[in-house]
Amino acid sequence: MTALRQLFRFHGGVKPAYNKEPSTTQPIADFYALAPLPAEFVIPLHQSIGGVPHPLVAAGEQVKKGQLIGAPDGYVSSAVHAATSGTVKAVEMRLMPHTSGLSALCVVIAPDGKDEWIERQPVPWRAMAPDEVRDALRDAGVVGLGGAVFPTYLKVNPGKKGKLDTLVINGAECEPFITCDDMQMREQAEKVVRGAAILRDLTQAGQVLIGIEDNKPEAIAAMQAAVTQTGEAKIEIVPVPTRYPAGGAKQLIRVLTGIEVPHGKRSTDYGVQCFNTGTACATYEALELGQPLISRVVTVAGNVLRPRNFVVRFGTPMKDVVALCGPKPDSDRLIMGGPMMGFAMPADTVPVVKATNCILVGSKALFPPPPPEMPCIRCGECAKVCPSDLAPFEMYWFSRAKLFGKAQEYHLFDCIECGCCAYVCPSRIPLVDYYRFAKSEIWAREQEKSAADEARERYEFRMLREEREKQEKAAKLAAKAAETKAKLAAAATPEDAAKKALIAAAMERAQQATQNPPAPPADNAEAPPAPPAQQTPS
Amino acid sequence: MSNAFNSPYFRQPASVRSVMLRVLVALLPGLAAYVWFFGAAILVQIALASLAALAGEAAILALRDKPVWLFVSDGSALVTAWLVALSFPSIAPWWMVVVATLIAIVVVKHLYGGLGQNPFNPAMAAFCIMIVAYPQLMSQWPAAGHQADFAAQWQLIFGGGPRVLDAVTMATALDTMRTALHTAGGTATVGAVFGSQPTFGAFGGKGWEWVALGYLLGGAWLIQQRIITWHIPVAFIAALGVTAGLFHFISPDRYAGALFHILSGGAMLGAFFIATDPVSGATTPKGKLIYAAGIAILAWIIRTFGAYPDGIAFATLLMNICAPLIDLHTQPPVFGHKNGGQP
Ligand code: SF4
Ligand code: SF4
């Protein structure tokens, strides 16, 4: 089925040393088959984009493996589950796997060693309404496992047309060192393909293109075989040229379909959607096996003696996982993600989370600090490699000068922070740092502004509410008066039904007036007085 | 955990120094032809300019309280120095190149903020100042075929006193052509002038056409090394060729042809080494085309109608002024904003 299809190029990109080989010599291992359960699982509630799930358990409670412990909060949010059976030790603030060094609410579970699952039931998704399937995915905690951790259920959406043209499954995995998708495709190709098929059906996609960088021939072959063996229709494995960042969702969509989804636009509006292969696999497990997302494949690579991939449950301390791989003595940091876009961890005790595709062990020798930064010579190298077709040096200049408006004019927010520009810059300017700085400054300012706006809105809302309450009171009084009058009238002249109806109508009007602008004046002497005139909220 | 820097955690081994060194290497073929046809005087000038540039840069860096070694060793001052030396007559008195280089480095580069900040090309700005101040000295060029007369050249450079101009000096082809066409009351024709003087070679200036080809060779290598893109040289040469060719076609007696313009004076040095200076030039692909074509056409106008024999330097400064505006209006569409996202 690898018919030669027309591929498209994305602008720029770089070819760093891939360093993928070492972690692919061994099969994926179940971490807990090689190491004891950790003394405690520290499971952050906030592991996806969107609202922070609220805890459903308290200290002292017993939980089972896979039990819901964090319920999604708000429209964009995803559930969180217990990694093993045991006792909730605490629900407290713990250090997060994030450069900021901030803490966030975590459920700390002390394992009881039984590792006892909740009852798992396949989800009869074929018979369910799309919204119900989406709820099931949300409650199973399925999020994008490529690193973006966007709740999957929100993306399982056929778009305006009611069906997608193309569903892109992202197996490109372009970041150096990371091999978790590669290994998963080699070993669990069938699950990935079946997951892709589910996503195909849920999005009504006309075709499914699974894009894999051509430096992963084993994965391509395994996936190819799985497509043939499962007999799933409309699924095609497409090897794509190896060039970082071919695995960026927008870049891969571009390569496979030629479509460029602009920043801030929904890709479904363009008839495409993109999921990571790991997400496809998790979707399969959630729906077909009824298994919530409690673990993922994690690559451990870099400055270790035995790089390898493991299935690791969320909440496991990173240092436990790294310890299995023999970190070399000069190791000086852990990076979550790859060398191009990864983040240094504030400590090695932070837990593995849904976003942890790779734990990269660093050292001074492996990732030496760059030589001193020089001024920009406007050589344009950065612009040549920028996959978003930006002018990085202009954005750099304006970010540095804190001319954030100007930086935005040069499309700062179209920057995907891939790091290509900084990778090639001969002046060794940490360009991406400047963009991150500028973005966070702009966000902070907007937040300030919206905080001020909110305060104003709150004030206006209070005024409005007080006004409404006054009116409601008046309306109630009016209604009551009308009622008494009606009763009296009914008692006096039982035959006068028409009058009754009139009064009922007036009552209704009075009630409505509390919500709507002034009611027309009553045209009947018998009717109760209209409620006081009120202001239209403006 | 110690980590003083963020992702990306590794980088391509590129540096300003390696960029600058490769530019110097790319100048070598042209320089070799220069020495072959016009003697070793140019090497003396390059040495003078290099020393002046490094000393001047070190001094101003120290004054500005900047890390001296970091910047002096980046090679950018040497590139400026070489370009100054190569655009000056190699038999000019020693102080001219030294003064010009110091102006380029101290005034045009550092007083505007140093590496990466100067709005004008330092070498060309210095050239313009000197040609306005010393038009005579700037027009005495070495004659081809007198490379053996190094002693005489040395005397011209360091001799001081009245300059004895003899067989070793000569007006350039561009100068001769312009003077002849301007002063003969409209009777001289391009063809007649071209054949009459020893300064002319097969297409342009004798010897100089080979130097120009040397620059072309070095420039092509710079493109291959991805240090410059094709846009500027191609637009430069095309615009100069088309303009000159068009006028030559209309009036072959009054306007020299395309090849003459391309292979004479500073055209090739300009196309590959001066207009391509990214700091003072345009940076977007479309902007580079406009910018380079602008320099070429302005240079042709100055050469043809102006008072100076060559116009590359003035044209470059004029376009330097326009570069930010050109950049502003030629930003390429960013990802997703091309054809409404459709392929
Ligand atoms: S690569 Fe670096 S030096 Fe070159 S233009 Fe970009 S930011 Fe400036
Ligand atoms: S980090 Fe941003 S500016 Fe730099 S290459 Fe990537 S998308 Fe372009």
Side-chain angles (χ1 to χ4, degrees):
Chain A
M1 279 242 286
T2 24
L4 276 184
R5 77 167 26 248
Q6 189 204 348
L7 295 182
F8 298 82
R9 263 182 70 94
F10 63 92
H11 176 262
V14 295
K15 289 193 172 189
Y18 279 91
N19 292 303
K20 287 178 185 272
E21 181 61 28
S23 58
T24 56
T25 53
Q26 298 273 323
I28 301 174
D30 178 12
F31 172 74
Y32 311 91
L34 302 176
L37 286 174
E40 58 178 29
F41 282 90
V42 179
I43 305 168
L45 286 162
H46 196 210
Q47 293 193 49
S48 70
I49 304 280
V52 183
H54 52 268
L56 295 176
V57 291
E61 265 179 58
Q62 297 294 313
V63 291
K64 283 191 177 163
K65 181 175 173 181
Q67 182 178 330
L68 192 66
I69 55 173
D73 187 55
Y75 179 61
V76 183
S77 187
S78 192
V80 174
H81 304 81
T84 185
S85 58
T87 316
V88 176
K89 257 171 78 176
V91 180
E92 61 183 19
M93 303 297 274
R94 289 290 184 98
L95 194 61
M96 293 295 281
H98 190 275
T99 313
S100 65
L102 291 178
S103 297
L105 204 56
C106 296
V107 174
V108 184
I109 297 174
D112 59 11
K114 287 186 251 171
D115 215 19
E116 198 181 332
W117 269 103
I118 50 160
E119 204 185 316
R120 284 166 288 167
Q121 287 284 331
V123 180
W125 59 274
R126 283 180 201 280
M128 284 160 54
D131 270 347
E132 291 172 337
V133 183
R134 279 194 276 275
D135 286 352
L137 283 173
R138 183 193 61 200
D139 296 340
V142 180
V143 298
L145 295 181
V149 288
F150 190 82
T152 301
Y153 72 95
L154 287 167
K155 287 172 70 184
V156 181
N157 182 343
K160 284 183 194 149
K161 280 194 288 181
K163 60 183 173 48
L164 287 184
D165 300 328
T166 306
L167 177 67
V168 169
I169 301 290
N170 188 346
E173 202 169 45
C174 58
E175 268 250 19
F177 288 99
I178 308 181
T179 57
C180 56
D181 292 346
D182 183 5
M183 294 306 285
Q184 188 175 47
M185 286 189 284
R186 292 190 203 185
E187 296 180 20
Q188 303 171 26
E190 192 192 325
K191 277 189 185 177
V192 177
V193 170
R194 288 197 188 282
I198 296 174
L199 291 168
R200 172 199 65 201
D201 294 349
L202 291 175
T203 56
Q204 305 280 305
Q207 61 172 352
V208 181
L209 303 179
I210 304 185
I212 305 172
E213 272 192 347
D214 55 15
N215 63 353
K216 304 175 187 52
E218 294 93 337
I220 293 170
M223 292 289 287
Q224 194 68 66
V227 171
T228 316
Q229 180 230 322
T230 56
E232 290 291 355
K234 297 189 285 189
I235 299 184
E236 191 179 319
I237 309 296
V238 189
V240 299
T242 298
R243 190 156 54 101
Y244 178 86
K250 293 189 178 200
Q251 280 65 39
L252 189 62
I253 290 174
R254 160 84 192 157
V255 168
L256 292 175
T257 67
I259 294 169
E260 292 191 359
V261 181
H263 168 71
K265 290 279 168 54
R266 265 192 296 262
S267 54
T268 49
D269 292 351
Y270 295 77
V272 287
Q273 185 59 286
C274 179
F275 296 98
N276 172 260
T277 48
T279 314
C281 190
T283 302
Y284 169 83
E285 287 176 346
L287 297 182
E288 294 290 0
L289 309 180
Q291 198 164 298
L293 187 66
I294 60 163
S295 66
R296 64 162 300 149
V297 183
V298 178
T299 306
V300 183
N303 203 40
V304 291
L305 295 171
R306 299 174 297 277
R308 190 170 185 178
N309 283 278
F310 300 93
V311 174
V312 186
R313 289 181 220 160
F314 311 128
T316 308
M318 284 190 185
K319 72 168 174 4
D320 290 14
V321 188
V322 169
L324 266 190
C325 300
K328 297 180 194 166
D330 62 335
S331 303
D332 65 353
R333 82 201 92 154
L334 297 186
I335 294 160
M336 186 166 101
M340 296 298 287
M341 292 182 74
F343 288 94
M345 295 292 99
D348 59 2
T349 49
V350 293
V352 168
V353 291
K354 292 181 183 178
T356 314
N357 48 4
C358 177
I359 306 171
L360 190 55
V361 182
S363 72
K364 276 224 165 51
L366 191 59
F367 303 129
E373 180 181 337
M374 302 282 285
C376 167
I377 54 170
R378 298 173 62 84
C379 66
E381 273 306 300
C382 48
K384 268 191 238 164
V385 298
C386 176
S388 302
D389 307 81
L390 305 175
F393 57 94
E394 305 276 14
M395 292 182 347
Y396 153 71
W397 177 254
F398 291 122
S399 301
R400 197 183 133 112
K402 302 199 176 161
L403 298 169
F404 299 125
K406 276 285 191 188
Q408 265 175 290
E409 273 172 40
Y410 279 89
H411 305 279
L412 175 67
F413 284 95
D414 286 50
C415 165
I416 57 170
E417 298 182 19
C418 64
C420 289
C421 51
Y423 177 78
V424 297
C425 175
S427 288
R428 284 124 9 179
I429 303 168
L431 293 161
V432 190
D433 284 357
Y434 285 96
Y435 310 146
R436 291 184 188 124
F437 163 73
K439 286 181 187 175
S440 63
E441 286 291 299
I442 293 167
W443 279 323
R445 281 177 195 194
E446 261 164 26
Q447 242 162 34
E448 257 168 49
K449 192 176 152 290
S450 71
D453 284 350
E454 244 170 56
R456 202 187 60 238
E457 266 166 32
R458 261 203 308 276
Y459 173 76
E460 282 169 0
F461 181 72
R462 203 181 64 223
M463 302 303 285
L464 210 64
R465 196 186 56 206
E466 280 169 5
E467 182 68 15
R468 198 178 58 213
E469 278 168 359
K470 246 191 264 165
Q471 284 163 6
E472 271 169 5
K473 228 185 233 166
K476 256 186 218 150
L477 280 176
K480 217 169 196 173
E483 215 175 332
T484 346
K485 233 182 185 176
K487 260 186 204 155
L488 286 173
T493 49
E495 78 283 358
D496 206 350
K499 223 177 201 173
K500 255 194 202 165
L502 256 175
I503 290 163
M507 273 169 64
E508 212 173 293
R509 264 209 302 275
Q511 263 158 16
Q512 263 176 20
T514 58
Q515 281 138 30
N516 295 325
D523 57 352
N524 191 291
E526 300 289 341
Q534 59 175 346
Q535 282 167 327
T536 316
S538 53
Chain B
M1 289 197 164
S2 71
N3 58 293
F5 67 106
N6 300 319
S7 61
Y9 289 98
F10 61 4
R11 287 145 194 279
Q12 223 170 38
S15 66
V16 174
R17 188 186 305 167
S18 91
V19 170
M20 296 298 169
L21 287 183
R22 279 181 284 171
V23 173
L24 293 182
V25 168
L27 283 167
L28 291 180
L31 183 58
Y34 204 135
V35 174
W36 176 263
F37 284 100
F38 302 99
I42 185 62
L43 299 178
V44 176
Q45 302 283 11
I46 282 190
L48 286 170
S50 301
L51 284 175
L54 294 178
E57 177 139 286
I60 188 91
L61 283 168
L63 273 177
R64 291 180 64 209
D65 219 7
K66 299 269 177 186
V68 173
W69 173 244
L70 180 66
F71 284 106
V72 166
S73 64
D74 70 18
S76 62
L78 282 181
V79 169
T80 301
W82 285 36
L83 291 176
V84 169
L86 288 171
S87 52
F88 275 51
S90 66
I91 48 172
W94 65 271
W95 53 267
M96 284 190 69
V97 153
V98 170
V99 169
T101 308
L102 288 175
I103 290 175
I105 296 289
V106 174
V107 180
V108 188
K109 182 177 176 185
H110 278 280
L111 292 193
Y112 279 100
L115 180 66
Q117 313 283 314
N118 46 290
F120 295 107
N121 182 301
M124 290 302 102
F127 181 93
C128 288
I129 290 169
M130 296 306 274
I131 201 169
V132 171
Y134 305 98
Q136 230 65 59
L137 289 173
M138 289 293 281
S139 311
Q140 295 161 3
W141 288 81
H146 291 268
Q147 54 272 61
D149 296 332
F150 183 62
Q153 291 184 333
W154 183 270
Q155 179 61 28
L156 282 171
I157 298 172
F158 292 106
R163 287 164 67 82
V164 190
L165 301 174
D166 50 23
V168 300
T169 69
M170 186 176 268
T172 62
L174 272 176
D175 208 4
T176 310
M177 179 70 76
R178 189 185 56 85
T179 314
L181 290 180
H182 277 212
T183 52
T187 53
T189 65
V190 168
V193 177
F194 201 91
S196 68
Q197 302 275 343
T199 187
F200 294 102
F203 302 105
K206 192 168 177 189
W208 292 116
E209 51 202 18
W210 289 101
V211 176
L213 290 175
Y215 292 144
L216 173 74
L217 191 67
W221 180 70
L222 281 186
I223 295 176
Q224 186 268 328
Q225 291 284 301
R226 290 175 52 97
I227 290 190
I228 60 173
T229 61
W230 59 268
H231 302 81
I232 284 179
V234 168
F236 190 109
I237 295 168
L240 187 57
V242 167
T243 311
L246 189 71
F247 278 82
H248 183 67
F249 178 75
I250 294 169
S251 179
D253 287 346
R254 290 188 45 215
Y255 301 102
L259 268 180
F260 174 76
H261 272 285
I262 291 169
L263 293 176
S264 299
M268 281 300 185
L269 192 65
F272 287 99
F273 294 92
I274 288 164
T276 51
D277 166 25
V279 174
S280 57
T283 54
T284 63
K286 216 199 268 172
K288 285 177 181 172
L289 297 178
I290 297 170
Y291 172 79
I295 295 181
I297 292 169
L298 283 174
W300 181 85
I301 292 173
I302 296 169
R303 280 177 172 185
T304 311
F305 306 110
Y308 294 100
D310 202 350
I312 305 287
F314 288 107
T316 304
L317 294 195
L318 285 172
M319 291 310 289
N320 282 167
I321 299 172
C322 308
L325 206 65
I326 295 175
D327 270 354
L328 187 67
H329 291 289
T330 53
Q331 287 299 324
V334 310
F335 188 91
H337 297 280
K338 285 161 202 160
N339 319 308
Q342 294 308 312

